[in-house]
Amino acid sequence: MNFISILMGSKSDYEIMKHCADTFEKFNVKYELVVSSAHRSPERTKIYIKEAEEKGAVAFIAAAGMAAHLAGAVAASTTKPVIGVPMKGGAMDGMDAMLSTVQMPAGMPVGTVALGRSGAVNAAYLAMQILAITDKELSTKLKEDRIVQAKKVESDSKDVEVIL
């Protein structure tokens, strides 16, 4: 069973990461969601990654704030794709998380998306695009979703546009 694994460094990250899970549900994509900290529960994180891979995880999404070491810790423990979602908060309102997530050493890639809700949703889309490489049905759903998004922009424009 193929699925995407979502890890959060703290339960407080759920308010944002539920948007990631909601996006998977919209497309009927299987996922797991767990809280596991690279700093407070490093052994739990390592064990979870190994067990998730054995069950069929094809990619990992790691959300964390402040030092944001979770995505890097996941990347160090797997060769599956890792997508980092930096979380807002702390003294630098997420900039520290952004830099910690994006600045990985060569050979330990972490695809990093935006801070917050947009990042959570885009992490789901990016993971689904990875799955869609071999899943034609999901690929079709993603293409249809793009058409819906484009039509919404046109509709929104008609509500407000002024054209000479």
Side-chain angles (χ1 to χ4, degrees):
M1 164 184 68
N2 288 343
F3 67 94
I4 306 297
S5 172
I6 305 169
L7 294 95
M8 303 175 297
S10 171
K11 185 180 176 186
S12 64
D13 297 331
Y14 179 72
E15 287 305 311
I16 294 297
M17 293 310 293
K18 70 180 177 184
H19 299 288
C20 182
D22 291 345
T23 303
F24 285 139
E25 289 176 12
K26 173 182 168 185
F27 286 88
N28 285 330
V29 170
K30 290 179 174 57
Y31 67 92
E32 287 188 347
L33 187 144
V34 299
V35 174
S36 194
S37 170
H39 296 114
R40 294 181 303 268
S41 60
E43 286 306 310
R44 171 183 165 80
T45 302
K46 284 182 187 178
I47 290 167
Y48 172 75
I49 293 164
K50 183 176 186 289
E51 290 174 352
E53 283 185 325
E54 289 170 358
K55 291 190 294 186
V58 297
F60 293 87
I61 296 173
M66 298 170 67
H69 185 60
L70 185 58
V74 173
S77 298
T78 186
T79 56
K80 305 287 187 197
V82 177
I83 303 165
V85 182
M87 303 301 287
K88 288 186 177 186
M92 298 179 73
D93 199 31
M95 185 56 69
D96 49 348
M98 177 68 77
L99 293 173
S100 295
T101 306
V102 78
Q103 291 293 343
M104 294 300 299
M108 292 293 141
V110 170
T112 306
V113 293
L115 287 163
R117 184 180 189 273
S118 293
V121 171
N122 281 343
Y125 272 96
L126 182 54
M128 289 188 296
Q129 289 174 331
I130 293 167
L131 282 176
I133 292 169
T134 58
D135 184 334
K136 290 186 189 284
E137 183 180 336
L138 181 57
S139 179
T140 299
K141 287 180 183 178
L142 288 169
K143 288 174 186 172
E144 290 169 353
D145 183 66
R146 288 279 176 103
I147 293 167
V148 169
Q149 289 183 48
K151 286 180 179 177
K152 181 167 180 1
V153 170
E154 290 174 24
S155 174
D156 288 349
S157 180
K158 286 180 181 175
D159 290 343
V160 298
E161 67 189 25
V162 175
I163 299 177
L164 300 177

